[in-house]
Amino acid sequence: MNKTTFFLGATAACAFALPAAAQDLCGGAVSSGAWIGGDEANSDISTAGSHSDQLALVLLGNAHVSLFTVSSPTDVRLEAQGQGSGDPLIELLDGNGSVVGGDDDGGGGTSSLMTQTLQPGQYCLLTNSYDTMAPLTATVRIGRTEHEALTEVGQSGGDRGGEGSDGGGDMPPVEMDDCGGLWELADGPIDGQLGGGGITMTETINQVPGYSFQLASDAMITITAENEAADPVLTITDSTGGFIAENDDFDGLNSRIDFTTPLAAGNYCIKLDALSDGNVPVTVSVTEYDPAAAAAAMYDRGETAPPMDGSYPITDIGTIDGRVVEMVQIDGDDAKWFSVSVDAAGLLLIEAIGGNMGDPVLRLFDDVGREIGYNDDFGMGLDSQVAARVQPGTFLLAVMDISGSSPQLRVVMERFVSAR
């Protein structure tokens, strides 16, 4: 991403963060960024003596990218506080480029705040302006939860500015101990109801802007909010309003938060906001986190490559020698997966053609699951094209259509070898 940034060094002293090479950044999801501690060695939040700050100027809708690592499981706090009328948004990507979480206004007023337990690895924190056309100057702070906080909620554990949801709708403020009177999912702890389909509630967001629930013991859970007509935003806080996690558009326009590390016993609040229609019913579910189901859902969305052990449907195209054409019918939103092999080094060119009706998307992975190609909307139309330089081996191709009413796609695969 092109951007202009000015960096303010960690805590007391001024330091200028050096840009990192593009190939090192969160699986290639971002093209440039700056280490929060000035360089990679000083950007390990697990071992940092204090928080680190950057002062970011965001122009023309581009994002400021802050880079950091954690070397052991760490409770981190990520904050962005705008200057003047600035309204920052933050989004966190892991080392594979997958969205871990994000926030808008969780730090009180227009400030952003996200706290989460992160596993060892590299992370990219993207700071954008809520008004994509307006320039933003913001302080970005990354530290552990015991470090000094930047935002109001981080300092006091208070409410989110007293206005409830981002849109200032009917959401009551979150109050001490009772989630502002939000509906209870159950009378007492929900631990024994998480299996199977879990607990499910369906109401409009304008009528029921959130729910409260209690855990008697630590638990890994999944929380979803579903109805694309509403475009729901899902925010989880503790009972005092302390921000925990937020998600928008995890699966299409539906939202989902997976707590892959146990959520501690206690009282929690589910806050909902509708970015589209608040008068349509939204189904909110709280279930036991299922790693296998979560992985299968990622395969269905084409976000990561499935195993080639027969446990997930993959159509074997065989060895590509010249050109192969496949007609592919996409049913629903799930990706169709194909395996292709090449027996010599060269260029693999793949096209998905929708005939001016569909909107295909292509993702190409190598045999160990690294994404080596992605495209949506190649050229002037909605068709997709991926060109990847490959060595002999087997590759996995995900074919999707995001139009919602896919025709039969024509997928063309061609192998080119170097002139000798």
Side-chain angles (χ1 to χ4, degrees), residues 369-383:
R370 289 183 292 247
E371 184 177 299
I372 61 174
Y374 167 83
N375 182 251
D376 177 26
D377 300 348
F378 177 82
M380 300 300 293
L382 298 179
D383 295 338

Side-chain angles (χ1 to χ4, degrees), residues 156-174:
S156 66
D159 62 27
R160 296 182 63 178
E163 296 295 332
S165 67
D166 296 344
D170 297 329
M171 173 79 78
V174 176

Side-chain angles (χ1 to χ4, degrees), residues 27-30 96-97 301-304 335 337 348-352 359-366 370-379 382-390 396-402:
V30 297
N96 296 318
R301 295 191 302 272
E303 294 178 355
T304 190
W337 284 90
L348 189 58
L349 179 67
I350 304 173
E351 297 178 84
D359 187 357
V361 177
L362 295 174
R363 290 183 185 269
L364 185 65
F365 298 81
D366 65 15
R370 289 183 292 247
E371 184 177 299
I372 61 174
Y374 167 83
N375 182 251
D376 177 26
D377 300 348
F378 177 82
L382 298 179
D383 295 338
S384 298
Q385 183 183 98
V386 166
R389 186 174 295 171
V390 297
L396 289 175
L397 174 68
V399 181
M400 296 160 284
D401 186 282
I402 59 175

Side-chain angles (χ1 to χ4, degrees), residues 24 52 56 60 78 88 98-99 105 143 151 158 191 217 250 264 268 273 292 316 321 330 363 367 374 385 407:
D24 295 333
S52 292
L60 301 176
L78 313 170
S98 299
V99 176
D105 300 349
T151 63
D191 304 57
S217 58
F250 180 92
Y268 295 95
D273 190 20
D316 184 13
D321 185 10
I330 306 295
R363 290 183 185 269
D367 60 347
Y374 167 83
Q385 183 183 98

Side-chain angles (χ1 to χ4, degrees), residues 24-27 35 40 68-70 93-96 120-124:
D24 295 333
L25 305 186
C26 294
W35 293 105
E40 184 172 5
F68 68 96
T69 62
V70 295
L93 308 182
D94 65 16
N96 296 318
Q122 180 195 83
Y123 294 88
C124 299

Side-chain angles (χ1 to χ4, degrees), residues 265-341:
N267 298 318
Y268 295 95
C269 314
I270 301 172
K271 304 202 304 183
L272 301 168
D273 190 20
L275 297 183
S276 292
D277 188 350
N279 291 312
V280 298
V282 171
T283 299
V284 174
S285 300
V286 182
T287 62
E288 184 179 13
Y289 173 69
D290 184 341
M298 293 181 69
Y299 307 151
D300 290 344
R301 295 191 302 272
E303 294 178 355
T304 190
M308 292 186 289
D309 58 5
S311 62
Y312 191 89
I314 301 172
T315 301
D316 184 13
I317 301 299
T319 300
I320 301 295
D321 185 10
R323 185 172 72 170
V324 174
V325 180
E326 289 283 328
M327 301 303 295
V328 179
Q329 179 68 52
I330 306 295
D331 299 318
D333 298 326
D334 291 351
K336 287 287 183 70
W337 284 90
F338 301 87
S339 63
V340 299
S341 299

